[in-house]
């Protein structure tokens, strides 16, 4: 697939299994496969049959039809259309960390050229290069969560831009040059003439949050196209908060995740096997 998803079938069933604390032996028996076959499916070295996908989906509380579309590589999100009359622009910076691409973003208010830097992707120089290349004025740094692949290099960006940094009050705090500004669900901040609203999306981390600006949302590792972030804290919290605070938005709203391609609320409701 030219526009590859962050998670494959094996990642999805692994996250669903671990998030629900289901023993591999129990899942394998219920699905009519061996534990070794389950492990190989999670490691992408064994392709499941259609029947096995549906059985595993049922055991893991996933949507079988949506899971099959991903297992057979029948779906990927539509690439974003250029919106010429939009009040905002989003620049994506995708950079490898430990061999895997991580996304950071620059949200630009078209009316004022003020901008917010969303996460660091552990590549502060790349972000600062893009700030210069687009000739924007950064006024805030927004952190979706504190994992190092999303926050390393923060002090360098803080020093270069002089911006305040916003992070959820329940989130562990990364290394910072300045006192972090703590935010909570429902708080708003401004970037030029844009209003950015904070919503809770915990589960991957304790204080994971998303930032909504008009028709775009920066979701960190709460949801990926066709999957969710690793449920380190609680899969149920992750599913509940994404459903209530993100998938309740209009279908056309575009979600920008910490890994993998952007997607929309409508596409995730139609294709994400966790929902
Ligand atoms: Fe993360």
């Amino acid at each position: 697939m030219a526009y590859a998803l962050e998670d494959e079938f094996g990642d999805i069933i692994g996250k669903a299994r671990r998030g629900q604390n289901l023993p591999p032996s129990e899942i394998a028996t219920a699905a009519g496969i061996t534990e070794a076959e389950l492990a190989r499916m999670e490691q992408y070295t064994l392709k499941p049959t259609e029947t096995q996908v549906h059985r595993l989906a049922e055991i893991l509380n996933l949507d079988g039809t949506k899971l099959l579309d991903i297992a057979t590589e029948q779906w990927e999100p539509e690439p974003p259309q250029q919106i010429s009359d939009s009040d905002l622009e989003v620049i994506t910076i995708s950079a490898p960390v430990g061999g895997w691409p991580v996304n950071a973003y620059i949200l630009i208010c078209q009316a004022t050229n003020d901008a917010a830097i969303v996460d660091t992707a552990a590549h502060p120089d790349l972000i600062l290069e893009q700030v210069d290349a687009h000739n924007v004025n950064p006024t805030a740094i927004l952190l979706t969560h504190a994992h190092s692949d999303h926050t390393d290099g923060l002090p360098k960006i803080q020093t270069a831009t002089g911006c305040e940094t916003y992070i959820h009050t329940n989130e562990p705090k990364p290394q910072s040059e300045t006192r972090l500004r703590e935010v909570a669900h429902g708080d708003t901040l401004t970037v030029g003439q844009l209003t950015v609203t904070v919503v809770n999306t915990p589960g991957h981390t304790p204080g994971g949050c998303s930032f909504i600006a008009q028709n775009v949302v920066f979701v960190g590792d709460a949801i990926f196209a066709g999957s969710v972030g690793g449920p380190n804290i609680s899969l149920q919290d992750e599913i509940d908060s994404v459903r209530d605070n993100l998938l309740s938005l209009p279908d056309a709203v575009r979600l920008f995740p910490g890994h993998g391609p952007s997607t929309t609320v409508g596409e995730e409701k139609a294709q994400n096997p966790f929902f």
Side-chain angles (χ1 to χ4, degrees):
M1 292 168 98
Y3 205 72
L5 299 180
E6 172 65 12
D7 281 355
E8 299 183 25
F9 169 80
D11 300 302
I12 294 170
I13 61 170
K15 285 177 177 178
R17 174 177 67 73
R18 292 189 298 276
Q20 295 170 89
N21 265 322
L22 295 166
S25 56
E26 211 174 278
I27 294 167
T29 305
I33 57 176
T34 66
E35 226 179 304
E37 287 171 328
L38 177 66
R40 286 178 58 209
M41 285 180 190
E42 291 190 6
Q43 290 156 8
Y44 328 137
T45 55
L46 178 64
K47 278 200 180 296
T49 65
E50 186 173 335
T51 307
Q52 288 167 341
V53 170
H54 280 289
R55 275 197 202 145
L56 284 164
E58 196 175 327
I59 298 156
L60 293 166
N61 296 306
L62 296 166
D63 183 295
T65 306
K66 297 174 185 176
L67 187 62
L68 185 64
D69 279 352
I70 291 175
T72 53
E73 302 193 355
Q74 294 301 303
W75 173 75
E76 61 189 42
E78 292 289 324
Q81 304 292 317
Q82 196 69 36
I83 308 162
S84 55
D85 60 350
S86 176
D87 296 335
L88 57 83
E89 187 182 356
V90 175
I91 308 296
T92 302
I93 298 121
S94 192
V97 179
W100 300 99
V102 181
N103 299 328
Y105 299 97
I106 303 174
L107 166 69
I108 304 169
C109 168
Q110 297 278 41
T112 64
N113 243 16
D114 286 343
I117 294 165
V118 185
D119 294 337
T120 73
H123 284 271
D125 292 334
L126 282 184
I127 292 177
L128 295 169
E129 264 171 36
Q130 288 299 310
V131 165
D132 281 348
H134 291 271
N135 199 24
V136 294
N137 170 41
T139 60
I141 302 165
L142 314 179
L143 299 178
T144 59
H145 65 302
H147 281 164
S148 60
D149 54 338
H150 302 270
T151 58
D152 275 1
L154 176 64
K156 188 163 192 178
I157 295 176
Q158 290 171 322
T159 302
T161 63
C163 288
E164 298 267 26
T165 304
Y166 298 83
I167 187 168
H168 196 281
T169 188
N170 294 343
E171 186 69 356
K173 303 301 182 282
Q175 192 197 343
S176 175
E177 278 296 296
T178 59
R179 196 157 161 264
L180 296 164
R181 299 274 297 263
E182 297 193 10
V183 292
H185 184 80
D187 285 353
T188 59
L189 48 120
T190 55
V191 177
Q193 294 174 6
L194 303 171
T195 300
V196 177
T197 304
V198 179
V199 293
N200 287 348
T201 43
H204 175 67
T205 59
C209 70
S210 297
F211 297 97
I212 305 174
Q214 297 187 353
N215 58 349
V216 306
V217 191
F218 302 95
V219 301
D221 292 355
I223 180 172
F224 300 148
S227 187
V228 294
N232 304 311
I233 305 299
S234 162
L235 178 62
Q236 198 58 54
D237 285 356
E238 196 168 39
I239 287 173
D240 290 347
S241 64
V242 167
R243 188 190 53 230
D244 295 349
N245 297 331
L246 300 182
L247 301 189
S248 56
L249 296 167
D251 281 357
V253 167
R254 184 157 287 280
L255 308 175
F256 289 93
H259 303 272
S262 72
T263 181
T264 61
V265 167
E267 285 172 293
E268 291 314 300
K269 286 199 297 198
Q271 295 290 344
N272 192 311
F274 285 93
F275 300 93

